[in-house]
Amino acid sequence: MKWFQGPTQTTRSEHIEDYAIRKIPSYYRWPIPAIIAVLLGNSTAMFFFTFGAQLSYVVGWPDMLWPLSYFFIGSTIIGMMMIRLASKEGLTIDLMTRGMGFGYMGSAVTSFIYGMNYVFYFLFEGTIVTHAISLYFHVEFDAVEGTLIFGALGLVKLLFVWYGMKALQIFQTWGVVIYALLLGLCLYQLTHHYQVAGPDRWVLPWLPEHSMWIAFMMANGQMVFQGLMAADYGRFAKENSGYRGGFLAMIGMLVPMFVTILIGPLFAYTLMPTITGGDAKMLAADSGYVFPKVIGIWGVLFVLVTQFRVNVMNLYSGSLALSNTFSLAFRFKPGRQFWMIIVYVLGCVFYSFNIVQYLENWLAITGILTNTWIFIMLADHYVCRKLLRLGPTDFIEYRRPFLYRWNPTGLISLGFGVSVGVFGMLGLYPIYYASFLSMIVGAVLHIILTAATRGFYYFTEFPYDRETHWIPPSYYRGKAPDV
């Protein structure tokens, strides 16, 4: 069981703050199985039931296996690289962004968008469970009662994540047992009381034009985000975990996630013929409707447990991102718990004003930004540093005195790449190319700008307290170590 346990000789204040804006010390590291146990909360989110059903509506079986394979392989590679960097440095993605092409104030921009991403994910996931409770107990979903349900459930989630990674690990480990039992009950009821529609029934009569590109766009939107989320927890892994540790963490998260994705169309196509009122196709993909329909009150409990497990992760990750944003922009450091409460309050406000109706547009924009941002970071490390040798690869500097406020190479690349994606959303070219073009353009432009400036914007002064084997090339024009 020690494989699933975190550090024991730690203080309550450490659990609360969880090194949101500092480097994680060696004694506060976790074994990979314990990190996987936390990531399972994301793997089994109700979102992935819906995602699988919607993907099957777009391309059907077996064509959906192509974008899913891209999703699986791409997430594994990106997560493996990001976890390796995060665990080696003991830093959040936001802190690493400072030294990887953005500058310490530049990273505040990406951190804010990243944090707001989690506010909307918190809203979306919380809406599913509120929907399930409202439907079962015949409560008005869009009225004050629905907002009160959303708010009350959010308060309970705050308690579960109040003490950071340690509380998350305990909750997720036991939560997966309850999840497995209730999913087993639901599958049993489905196979014994319904005519089950297997993959041979998920076949579309014909493949609409551009549908495969749309399916790949859906997969691309999640591919980078899953690697990014995993790295926020993978930073707790031991410093020497390397690519192998990152690979194991991603496989541990993605295998159950893909089981969840494939169960989505199984439920959707089985239940669709039995739904007589409303849009059968949409309801059959709505987890808040499906599980209470199959197993009644146990289905409501199933949605409740599952959404609690993923939404505590949204609260946690959102608090990390916003902590970094405001500590940089305003030197305001009230603590991670404060920002966790802010995520909760914003979720309640947005729910009451029915902002969820614009959720798809918001997530499309932030998805484009997230993909572009992370591909710039990967290009910075693996091309600008490793290949062109314009910066050290044995450490990533994150401390304010050694960094420029704004690094134009990353910021210009991000702005240009995101603009290319937004043009697609505005209809200037097919939208399904948007996320691909934005992340490629941003990464390529960052390499060009960093090479053109010869690494000048990496350091205002080289941090001589950091050991490095880096020997700058003759064309390097930035601050360099004494060699």
Side-chain angles (χ1 to χ4, degrees):
M1 287 297 292
K2 66 180 181 179
W3 288 355
F4 295 93
Q5 293 178 349
T8 54
Q9 303 301 316
T10 54
T11 65
R12 175 172 290 192
S13 62
E14 284 179 305
H15 299 160
I16 291 172
E17 187 55 28
D18 246 11
Y19 296 91
I21 55 175
R22 291 184 291 152
K23 182 182 177 72
I24 298 174
S26 298
Y27 69 84
Y28 202 73
R29 301 302 183 116
W30 295 67
I32 292 294
I35 293 169
I36 292 173
V38 174
L39 291 173
L40 285 175
N42 175 50
S43 305
T44 53
M46 290 286 173
F47 167 80
F48 293 110
F49 289 112
T50 302
F51 179 81
Q54 295 285 6
L55 194 62
S56 71
Y57 294 165
V58 174
V59 290
W61 182 271
D63 293 297
M64 63 185 292
L65 293 177
W66 291 110
L68 286 178
S69 297
Y70 169 75
F71 180 4
F72 188 92
I73 295 169
S75 292
T76 301
I77 293 172
I78 291 170
M80 185 172 64
M81 292 190 292
M82 296 302 297
I83 289 173
R84 185 251 179 190
L85 287 172
S87 62
K88 179 172 171 285
E89 299 297 325
L91 301 174
T92 64
I93 300 295
D94 305 299
L95 293 179
M96 290 196 297
T97 300
R98 299 181 184 185
M100 296 179 74
F102 288 86
Y104 69 84
M105 281 297 290
S107 75
V109 176
T110 59
S111 296
F112 180 74
I113 299 296
Y114 189 36
M116 292 306 294
N117 221 342
Y118 280 109
V119 171
F120 275 83
Y121 272 116
F122 175 76
L123 172 63
F124 177 76
E125 302 289 357
T127 299
I128 291 176
V129 68
T130 305
H131 191 189
I133 293 172
S134 300
L135 284 173
Y136 188 82
F137 292 103
H138 306 291
V139 175
E140 274 297 322
F141 178 67
D142 295 327
V144 175
E145 294 91 334
T147 304
L148 291 175
I149 293 171
F150 182 93
L153 294 173
L155 283 175
V156 179
K157 294 165 193 171
L158 279 174
L159 296 176
F160 279 116
V161 77
W162 195 256
Y163 291 107
M165 184 72 170
K166 196 171 187 67
L168 276 173
Q169 189 268 334
I170 295 170
F171 176 61
Q172 299 290 24
T173 299
W174 288 104
V176 74
V177 177
I178 299 171
Y179 170 88
L181 290 173
L182 290 173
L183 179 59
L185 173 63
C186 199
L187 289 170
Y188 176 85
Q189 290 291 97
L190 190 78
T191 55
H192 284 72
H193 296 90
Y194 296 87
Q195 186 177 353
V196 176
D200 60 312
R201 301 268 298 278
W202 310 349
V203 179
L204 299 184
W206 57 281
L207 206 59
E209 188 179 6
H210 308 307
S211 57
M212 188 58 75
W213 266 111
I214 294 170
F216 270 90
M217 177 188 71
M218 293 169 65
N220 199 50
Q222 283 299 310
M223 178 188 74
V224 174
F225 190 79
Q226 296 310 315
L228 183 58
M229 173 178 274
D232 265 341
Y233 300 91
R235 68 193 172 100
F236 288 97
K238 297 184 187 305
E239 294 96 322
N240 61 354
S241 295
Y243 292 114
R244 180 176 176 272
F247 176 78
L248 292 174
M250 291 306 297
I251 294 298
M253 181 182 77
L254 290 174
V255 169
M257 179 185 294
F258 275 71
V259 173
T260 305
I261 289 172
L262 292 174
I263 289 175
L266 178 71
F267 279 109
Y269 282 87
T270 299
L271 295 178
M272 219 182 299
T274 70
I275 301 173
T276 55
D279 187 334
K281 201 173 185 180
M282 290 299 100
L283 287 173
D286 182 351
S287 303
Y289 174 86
V290 167
F291 295 105
K293 175 178 174 62
V294 177
I295 52 174
I297 189 64
W298 292 106
V300 176
L301 179 62
F302 181 50
V303 174
L304 190 67
V305 170
T306 303
Q307 295 312 92
F308 264 46
R309 295 176 67 237
V310 68
N311 243 355
V312 294
M313 297 180 74
N314 290 329
L315 280 171
Y316 180 81
S317 293
S319 70
L320 294 181
L322 293 177
S323 291
N324 184 59
T325 299
F326 284 85
S327 69
L328 285 173
F330 306 106
R331 300 201 177 192
F332 181 54
K333 303 177 182 179
R336 184 186 59 80
Q337 287 176 315
F338 173 84
W339 295 113
M340 198 169 60
I341 294 171
I342 293 298
V343 173
Y344 162 75
V345 170
L346 288 174
C348 292
V349 170
F350 290 160
Y351 182 90
S352 64
F353 284 98
N354 198 26
I355 301 296
V356 74
Q357 64 183 309
Y358 306 111
L359 189 62
E360 288 185 10
N361 293 333
W362 173 262
L363 292 181
I365 294 171
T366 55
I368 288 170
L369 188 143
T370 299
N371 285 22
T372 309
W373 164 35
I374 297 304
F375 266 69
I376 288 172
M377 289 182 66
L378 292 174
D380 185 86
H381 184 77
Y382 288 97
V383 180
C384 299
R385 294 172 185 252
K386 276 187 174 290
L387 186 62
L388 302 179
R389 298 188 295 120
L390 289 171
T393 58
D394 40 16
F395 75 91
I396 297 170
E397 186 53 65
Y398 69 99
R399 293 169 296 176
R400 187 190 296 257
F402 303 103
L403 299 173
Y404 282 94
R405 287 172 60 88
W406 309 96
N407 185 334
T409 62
L411 290 167
I412 292 172
S413 303
L414 179 68
F416 196 84
V418 171
S419 297
V420 169
V422 171
F423 289 152
M425 291 191 62
L426 294 176
L428 298 182
Y429 64 87
I431 190 172
Y432 38 78
Y433 297 137
S435 61
F436 295 97
L437 288 176
S438 62
M439 69 190 194
I440 293 170
V441 168
V444 171
L445 184 58
H446 177 67
I447 295 168
I448 293 171
L449 291 176
T450 304
T453 56
R454 303 183 194 183
F456 180 82
Y457 291 100
Y458 276 128
F459 305 106
T460 54
E461 183 170 338
F462 193 84
Y464 291 106
D465 58 342
R466 302 294 298 267
E467 292 185 13
T468 181
H469 300 291
W470 174 53
I471 300 175
S474 59
Y475 50 83
Y476 176 71
R477 290 293 178 266
K479 303 295 183 180
D482 293 329
V483 292

